[in-house]
Amino acid sequence: MKEDVNKLGGVEEMTMAHLKEMTYIPDRTFPINIFFSTDIPLHWHDHMEWIFIRNGKARIQIDDVFVYLQKGEVAFVNSKQLHAAWRIDENTEMIAIVFNEAIVRNSGLDHTENLYFTPYLSQQLKLPNFIMKNEIHTSQIILSITSLVDEFEEKKAGYELFIKAELFRIFGLIFRNYGQLKQQAINRYQINYNLTALFDFLRDHYYEQISVNEASKMVNLSPNHFCKVFKKVTGKTFIEYIQLLRINEAEKMLIETNLPVTVIAEKVGFGSITYFGRLFKKIKNVSPSARRTTY
């Protein structure tokens, strides 16, 4: 993301073998970063992301939905949603605002977190992923996004407060009006299979033994058709996707805990430590033990 399509603010090169992105956020005490993007490769991360089309047109993917957006329209990506963006015109400019939920949480000190953010962040409350130019209060949302970006770039005294104020204002506008937002016309979508619930399930149950037949039943598709759809949406087979989820979680445990490698392998769903080590090295280009020593 950003100026170099293969770089995420100087972080590890994104390839289809690394769907989880370790997004660069320079200040963990104020977890937000802004990227001026060209194309955005398919990935997911633990943060929220807003993709604003400042100029031109772009094709946006969020999970299994593909939509064309134009100047003045926005895509809202929740935590852990697969997403990507491709320019349609050479003059297309996209701004990606990536921030962690910590910046809008308040440790339950008032009721706003439980009333609004907790249901949204836990995906119990579904908000629109796309805001079009003709939707309610789109112009106000765009003004707030523009102001947020300006504050981030200029970093004048008190800019953090203004950024948080704009974040809350944008969320407020969405929460106020999301129920009235019209569902996008079906002809704006190139493909729309109901895989979102399956992605949510896999992220929570990646360590379990889940067969293709079981997964296909969850989305009411035949196993053969399911495999084709899943590969088209993710760029990976179902088995490869599960392996990526497990290896990414194992990497996180290697970095953040002192658990033995054998225990980590078992926790993420591998019965063989040998196979775990071989697959980890294939995906991450480094052994599990070496990954731990580099942090």
Side-chain angles (χ1 to χ4, degrees):
M1 212 157 62
K2 246 187 161 177
E3 292 95 352
D4 184 344
V5 187
N6 293 320
K7 295 288 183 179
L8 252 272
V11 183
E12 182 179 9
E13 179 179 351
M14 285 292 297
T15 69
M16 290 309 295
H18 298 80
L19 286 181
K20 183 175 183 180
E21 170 195 292
M22 303 299 288
T23 311
Y24 175 63
I25 294 183
D27 185 354
R28 292 187 179 182
T29 64
F30 192 66
I32 185 170
N33 204 359
I34 295 179
F35 303 95
F36 298 88
S37 305
T38 51
D39 290 343
I40 301 173
L42 185 65
H43 68 285
W44 64 276
H45 44 61
D46 294 325
H47 310 297
M48 288 178 275
E49 181 170 341
W50 296 345
I51 303 173
F52 170 51
I53 311 303
R54 183 159 66 177
N55 196 36
K57 298 178 181 179
R59 179 172 176 258
I60 310 294
Q61 175 184 355
I62 298 181
D63 280 339
D64 55 330
V65 176
F66 295 75
V67 173
Y68 287 97
L69 297 185
Q70 57 184 314
K71 179 180 178 180
E73 298 182 329
V74 190
F76 293 95
V77 185
N78 202 353
S79 170
K80 296 181 172 62
Q81 284 192 304
L82 276 175
H83 57 284
W86 301 273
R87 294 173 298 165
I88 301 301
D89 303 322
E90 289 186 1
N91 66 337
T92 297
E93 298 177 27
M94 295 183 286
I95 299 177
I97 303 169
V98 183
F99 58 98
N100 190 271
E101 64 184 59
I103 202 170
V104 293
R105 284 192 180 274
N106 55 25
S107 301
L109 296 178
D110 62 54
H111 78 290
T112 58
E113 181 170 325
N114 292 331
L115 189 60
Y116 297 105
F117 290 108
T118 297
Y120 173 59
L121 295 171
S122 65
Q123 316 233 355
Q124 295 173 347
L125 174 63
K126 299 295 184 182
L127 297 179
N129 282 124
F130 306 99
I131 302 293
M132 306 304 185
K133 293 178 69 174
N134 61 345
E135 300 290 0
I136 301 171
H137 292 305
T138 299
S139 60
Q140 294 183 47
I141 290 174
I142 299 310
L143 285 174
S144 284
I145 288 177
T146 302
S147 178
L148 187 156
V149 172
D150 290 343
E151 291 290 342
F152 185 87
E153 290 190 294
E154 295 172 6
K155 289 185 171 56
K156 296 178 181 178
Y159 78 95
E160 298 97 335
L161 297 175
F162 283 97
I163 286 176
K164 291 196 70 169
E166 297 299 352
L167 285 174
F168 280 109
R169 177 171 174 77
I170 293 166
F171 272 117
L173 289 167
I174 297 171
F175 282 120
R176 175 172 292 177
N177 298 287
Y178 84 94
Q180 304 172 25
L181 294 176
K182 297 178 181 179
Q183 190 176 16
Q184 308 308 319
I186 193 65
N187 60 8
R188 294 188 70 109
Y189 296 83
Q190 291 189 337
I191 182 172
N192 186 10
Y193 298 100
N194 186 22
L195 298 183
T196 300
L198 175 62
F199 287 134
D200 292 341
F201 178 84
L202 294 178
R203 289 162 193 149
D204 292 334
H205 300 269
Y206 62 88
Y207 52 86
E208 298 178 4
Q209 298 301 318
I210 305 167
S211 68
V212 169
N213 285 339
E214 291 171 330
S216 64
K217 289 178 181 178
M218 294 182 190
V219 293
N220 297 317
L221 294 175
S222 69
N224 286 340
H225 189 43
F226 167 76
C227 289
K228 293 178 182 177
V229 170
F230 196 91
K231 180 69 178 290
K232 184 171 185 178
V233 170
T234 66
K236 290 292 177 183
T237 67
F238 179 72
I239 300 302
E240 289 170 339
Y241 186 79
I242 294 293
Q243 290 174 340
L244 282 169
L245 290 178
R246 292 176 173 178
I247 293 300
N248 282 330
E249 188 61 28
E251 182 180 42
K252 182 178 178 181
M253 291 184 186
L254 286 167
I255 296 169
E256 298 180 357
T257 76
N258 293 319
L259 291 172
V261 175
T262 53
V263 173
I264 291 175
E266 184 178 355
K267 278 183 171 293
V268 299
F270 290 96
S272 167
I273 184 63
T274 302
Y275 179 62
F276 166 72
R278 184 165 64 247
L279 186 63
F280 190 99
K281 188 170 185 179
K282 178 182 178 181
I283 293 176
K284 298 296 182 179
N285 295 316
V286 66
S287 69
S289 57
R291 170 61 77 212
R292 169 167 278 169
T293 58
T294 58
Y295 283 87

